[in-house]
Amino acid sequence: MAAHELRTPLTVVTGYMSMLRDGSFGPAPLEWKHPVEMLDAKAAELGRLVEDLLLAARLDTGRLPVHKERIDLAVAAQAAVTRARPRAELLAADLELEATEGLLVDADRDYLARILDNLVNNALTYSRGTAELRVRVLRRNEGPAVEVEDQGRGIPPVLAARIFERFFRIDEEGYPQQPGTGLGLYISRELAVRQDARLWLDWSELGQGSRFVIAFPEPGA
């Protein structure tokens, strides 16, 4: 209910921000450029938080339809990398895709995109210095899969089992305090389960990085 109530005023705010950007109220002073960009970014951030809360609520109630279709994992991963490219460039991050083409899965296109976006953006957020990320599409023992690996801070072993909990966030020295609800990985795993897929932390070492994997059963299995 709270998320739905937030959505209406947020829509008004983003609407007026769009009008400011496109000059609907006349030419904006040059000194407005940075404040308008900052407000726009924060409104978008709030929008993502609201959508996370709404999606988590739908997951809790079980009222979340899944529309599977045959998808090429390489194409889905390439789209995720393309969406993340502007942020990666802003952070001077090295973001690379290594893909085996022709690995098909039965998945919900929108939910798969959301999972991949969460994994890639988490990797960018918790990297150190010049971020190095690798997104790999390959066949593993578990089936057709996408790996997202970074060379960032890694996850403390005592917390590794909790990172998929709802609202859980790592609050340790050396970790940047980022805006968010702590719902990203929880939502991602729940969306994976609803597509008969698996999402897990495959490897992590403090100071070395982490690797997350989402794997699907063979199509038609």
Side-chain angles (χ1 to χ4, degrees):
M1 289 175 62
H4 276 294
E5 291 299 323
L6 285 170
R7 211 181 212 178
T8 300
L10 180 60
T11 300
V12 175
V13 170
T14 54
Y16 273 101
M17 291 302 303
S18 176
M19 294 169 72
L20 282 171
R21 287 197 313 273
D22 64 22
S24 296
F25 302 114
L30 185 61
E31 59 268 23
W32 285 19
K33 185 175 185 297
H34 178 68
V36 167
E37 289 176 348
M38 180 62 71
L39 287 171
D40 202 29
K42 291 302 178 181
E45 182 181 302
L46 180 57
R48 289 190 293 271
L49 296 180
V50 169
E51 290 305 315
D52 278 353
L53 289 169
L54 287 170
L55 184 51
R58 294 191 188 104
L59 287 168
D60 286 346
T61 61
R63 294 180 297 183
L64 194 70
V66 177
H67 304 290
K68 287 186 180 182
E69 57 184 296
R70 193 63 52 88
I71 295 173
D72 188 323
L73 273 183
V75 174
Q78 179 62 69
V81 168
T82 299
R83 289 190 295 272
R85 189 72 68 188
R87 186 183 178 207
E89 291 177 353
L90 186 65
L91 297 173
D94 178 14
L95 173 58
E96 298 294 336
L97 173 66
E98 303 169 7
T100 299
E101 296 183 358
L103 289 182
L104 303 180
V105 297
D106 293 328
D108 185 299
R109 187 177 301 275
D110 291 338
Y111 296 162
L112 175 57
R114 190 180 188 105
I115 293 168
L116 295 178
D117 287 348
N118 279 341
L119 295 180
V120 173
N121 278 303
N122 275 358
L124 287 170
T125 297
Y126 293 104
S127 290
R128 300 180 304 168
T130 302
E132 294 187 17
L133 280 72
R134 296 293 179 269
V135 179
R136 301 186 185 92
V137 178
L138 71 168
R139 188 181 301 281
R140 293 174 51 115
N141 291 335
E142 298 86 357
V146 180
E147 298 179 350
V148 178
E149 182 174 324
D150 64 69
Q151 296 182 5
R153 291 171 171 78
I155 297 169
V158 295
L159 299 179
R162 300 192 59 197
I163 58 174
F164 291 100
E165 294 179 7
R166 188 169 54 168
F167 299 119
F168 179 76
R169 303 183 67 187
I170 297 177
D171 186 19
E172 296 280 321
E173 184 178 352
Y175 278 81
Q177 294 305 300
Q178 298 291 334
T181 57
L183 286 170
L185 286 176
Y186 165 77
I187 288 173
S188 295
R189 173 170 277 184
E190 291 296 315
L191 291 178
V193 168
R194 281 158 175 75
Q195 300 174 81
D196 301 313
R198 286 184 57 210
L199 172 63
W200 71 96
L201 174 63
D202 191 50
W203 163 82
S204 188
E205 187 174 337
L206 285 177
Q208 300 298 316
S210 303
R211 178 171 60 244
F212 286 84
V213 178
I214 177 170
F216 288 82
E218 297 292 344

